[in-house]
């Protein structure tokens, strides 16, 4: 009886071993059943916002080595000159804390009336030896000849009275509207009027 029981036990052990080998073989060589579920993909966090560009500071120096003068740096004033016959004086004062210059555009670009008209031509002989540099609180001057000397246009139908005009400090920029002192109109003929270069002193401007 004892030998029969031992034989049965060996048979059971052998059967279990064969089943284990069969299961292992099936797992290694694949199975036609459904594919094991893949783990979920990792969530992607939102992109980090781009870093804010650092402040580049003031504009780079112009041809004269200083910051070009801009309307935001200047205080404008216009009125009749010391000789009111066909002359007007335009002044600009630098009220900023930076030195600027007019090296890139040596004279103001003035337009009276229709903004589509070209800017007044410059009196070439009025060009100073060096471009005007404006330190803080310094002032520059430009004389406007409002009509041709002895010509008929200053009092003729081509002339008109203006109490304000446009001033641009560089080509392609929007003009600043400047009103005349006390809003007193000045007769100007845009067809014959001229303007000087910026002058460093009032005496230099009065020569024209």
């Amino acid at each position: 009886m004892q030998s029969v029981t031992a034989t049965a036990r060996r048979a059971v052990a052998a059967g279990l071993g064969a089943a284990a080998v069969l299961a292992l073989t099936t797992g290694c060589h694949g199975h036609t059943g459904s594919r094991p579920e893949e783990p979920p993909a990792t969530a992607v966090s939102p992109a980090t916002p781009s870093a804010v560009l650092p402040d580049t500071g003031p504009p780079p120096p112009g041809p004269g080595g200083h910051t070009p003068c801009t309307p935001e740096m200047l205080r404008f004033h216009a009125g009749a000159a010391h000789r009111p016959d066909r002359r007007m004086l335009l002044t600009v004062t630098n009220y900023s804390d930076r030195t600027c210059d007019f090296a890139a555009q040596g004279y103001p670009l003035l337009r009276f009336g229709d903004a589509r008209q070209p800017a007044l031509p410059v009196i070439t002989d009025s060009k100073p030896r060096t471009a005007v540099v404006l330190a803080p609180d310094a002032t520059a001057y430009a004389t406007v000849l409002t009509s041709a000397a002895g010509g008929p246009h200053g009092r003729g139908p081509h002339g008109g009275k203006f109490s304000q005009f446009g001033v641009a400090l560089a080509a392609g920029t929007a003009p600043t509207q400047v009103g005349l002192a006390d809003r007193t109109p000045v007769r100007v003929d845009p067809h014959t009027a001229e303007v000087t270069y910026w002058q460093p002193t009032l005496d230099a401007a009065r020569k024209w």
Side-chain angles (χ1 to χ4, degrees), residues 73-91:
M73 304 172 68
L74 305 176
R75 181 177 293 109
F76 296 80
H77 182 273
H82 63 291
R83 290 176 292 179
D85 55 323
R86 47 178 219 94
R87 279 176 176 78
M88 184 177 66
L89 185 66
L90 171 65
T91 66

Side-chain angles (χ1 to χ4, degrees), residues 121-132:
V122 66
I123 303 173
T124 56
D125 290 342
S126 67
K127 185 176 183 178
R129 293 183 177 179
T130 59
V132 172

Side-chain angles (χ1 to χ4, degrees), residues 103-206:
Q105 176 62 49
Y107 59 93
L109 303 174
L110 308 185
R111 288 180 172 83
F112 290 84
D114 192 348
R116 294 172 296 180
Q117 291 186 358
L120 297 188
V122 66
I123 303 173
T124 56
D125 290 342
S126 67
K127 185 176 183 178
R129 293 183 177 179
T130 59
V132 172
V133 176
L134 280 185
D137 297 324
T139 300
Y141 309 84
T143 295
V144 182
L145 302 183
T146 57
S147 63
H153 298 290
R155 297 180 181 276
H158 296 288
K161 289 186 176 182
F162 301 90
S163 58
Q164 70 175 17
F165 56 96
V167 180
L169 301 180
T173 61
T176 298
Q177 293 299 314
V178 177
L180 274 65
D182 301 326
R183 307 296 295 180
T184 301
V186 172
R187 184 175 290 278
V188 179
D189 181 0
H191 297 89
T192 60
E194 298 176 291
V195 64
T196 67
Y197 278 85
W198 290 113
Q199 305 296 318
T201 65
L202 182 57
D203 288 339
R206 283 175 173 171

